[in-house]
Amino acid sequence: MASAHDTNVAPEPGARGLGAAECGPAAGQAATPALEVRNLTLAWEGSETPTVSDVSLAVAPGEMVCLVGRSGCGKSTLFHGMAGLTTPVSGSVLLHGEDVTGRPGRVSYMLQKDLLLPQRTILANVCLPLTLAGTPRAVAREKAEPLFERFGLNGTQDSYPSELSGGMRQRAALLRTYLMDNDVVLMDEPFSALDALTRQDMRSWFLSLVSDLGMSCVLVTHDVDEAVEMADRILVMSGNPTAGVPSGIVGEVDIDCARGQRAEWLLTPASLKAKREVLMLLG
């Protein structure tokens, strides 16, 4: 998991504070995207053959973008490039207008597994980004503890990861990601390891959290239902790098429904239409 301490943040002060207004693609529009990818081409290490070719995308402040594609199409490879963990063959990545291409540690990055340290308490785990950055332990705890209630973790401060359910561990991992102090978050299938009911609860809870905290997110998933439920906008990725066909963005689907009305909207023909459009783009 890579963290970030962005020095060129565009949102107004307090945009990441609790109780922020719900942010959708219309509410958070600005001249400068929170995250922008320009003509990015990536290749596997030691290879000159592109696996991801000429990808461009932009994420508005406060927007939730889902990146959907079949397994093996290069979604995680693209994420590594966006996070600066892989140096691209060509192209660039901009964070609030600043070129951060190939520079890790500038965006928050959450993987499928929670990666909590078993020998540390939950409070010590979520404080880890702060203490690694040199924040005194007491100060880190003062910053983290007030957020436990908002993240649904109150009472777990002195527990260990083995004592928590999968959903609670993911909440702790999300709080740790939030404390990395960046408003742009990349999430690589963060709910895929959870059971179906817990996954559903986590999706609804996370949507309200993103709105409250004013976060800009890109979430990778191969679950079309998850994308339709969570996204403001869905980008569809296609290709077969192992067969020599580099991947790229083949289309996008806008979700024309406010996040607060998403549960009811999922039962309407409009939701089914959006899902059908994504499936057609996937082929």
Side-chain angles (χ1 to χ4, degrees):
M1 180 179 297
S3 66
H5 293 278
D6 182 32
T7 58
N8 189 24
V9 178
E12 297 178 0
R16 279 172 52 81
L18 298 178
E22 177 169 346
C23 296
Q29 292 295 340
T32 303
L35 179 69
E36 185 176 6
V37 174
R38 295 180 179 174
N39 306 110
L40 200 67
T41 295
L42 299 157
W44 285 316
E45 186 175 355
S47 172
E48 296 181 358
T49 303
T51 55
V52 174
S53 180
D54 197 30
V55 168
S56 295
L57 61 90
V59 181
E63 186 179 23
M64 165 72 82
V65 172
C66 282
L67 183 65
V68 178
R70 298 180 185 276
S71 296
C73 77
K75 301 185 300 297
S76 294
T77 300
L78 176 58
F79 248 36
H80 289 165
M82 292 164 66
L85 302 175
T86 300
T87 301
V89 175
S90 60
S92 57
V93 179
L94 286 78
L95 187 65
H96 297 297
E98 178 188 357
D99 192 331
V100 295
T101 309
R103 296 163 58 187
R106 304 305 303 273
V107 297
S108 298
Y109 191 12
M110 183 174 171
L111 302 173
Q112 297 177 29
K113 297 182 179 180
D114 57 67
L115 300 179
L116 299 175
L117 300 177
Q119 73 276 19
R120 290 176 178 256
T121 65
I122 298 302
L123 179 57
N125 264 288
V126 303
C127 286
L128 195 58
L130 298 174
T131 54
L132 289 176
T135 303
R137 184 175 300 178
V139 175
R141 287 171 176 256
E142 287 178 6
K143 184 173 182 178
E145 283 207 86
L147 294 168
F148 267 69
E149 182 174 357
R150 179 64 189 86
F151 278 74
L153 290 165
N154 217 18
T156 68
Q157 286 90 330
D158 296 324
S159 300
Y160 289 87
S162 61
E163 300 175 302
L164 271 58
S165 67
M168 294 294 277
R169 290 197 299 269
Q170 283 299 86
R171 287 175 183 250
L174 283 165
L175 175 52
R176 179 183 57 193
T177 301
Y178 178 71
L179 287 171
M180 291 174 180
D181 198 24
N182 188 9
D183 65 326
V184 176
V185 181
L186 306 181
M187 306 177 71
D188 194 350
E189 303 199 61
F191 310 128
S192 62
L194 304 175
D195 65 82
L197 291 177
T198 302
R199 187 162 61 244
Q200 182 63 49
D201 289 342
M202 286 292 290
R203 290 172 183 168
S204 300
W205 168 78
F206 184 66
L207 271 182
S208 71
L209 184 76
V210 167
S211 297
D212 286 350
L213 302 181
M215 298 161 65
S216 306
C217 296
V218 183
L219 187 149
V220 156
T221 182
H222 62 267
D223 186 334
V224 176
D225 289 318
E226 180 170 84
V228 169
E229 179 177 350
M230 299 192 68
D232 298 317
R233 187 160 49 96
I234 300 171
L235 301 180
V236 180
M237 192 171 180
S238 184
N240 188 354
T242 58
V245 181
S247 295
I249 304 296
V250 296
E252 68 175 66
V253 176
D254 290 327
I255 302 300
D256 188 18
C257 175
R259 292 174 189 165
Q261 302 171 10
R262 202 63 60 88
E264 295 80 9
W265 179 81
L266 289 171
L267 303 175
T268 68
S271 171
L272 183 60
K273 179 176 181 289
K275 181 177 178 180
R276 186 182 297 113
E277 289 176 357
V278 174
L279 290 172
M280 288 178 65
L281 286 167
L282 285 170

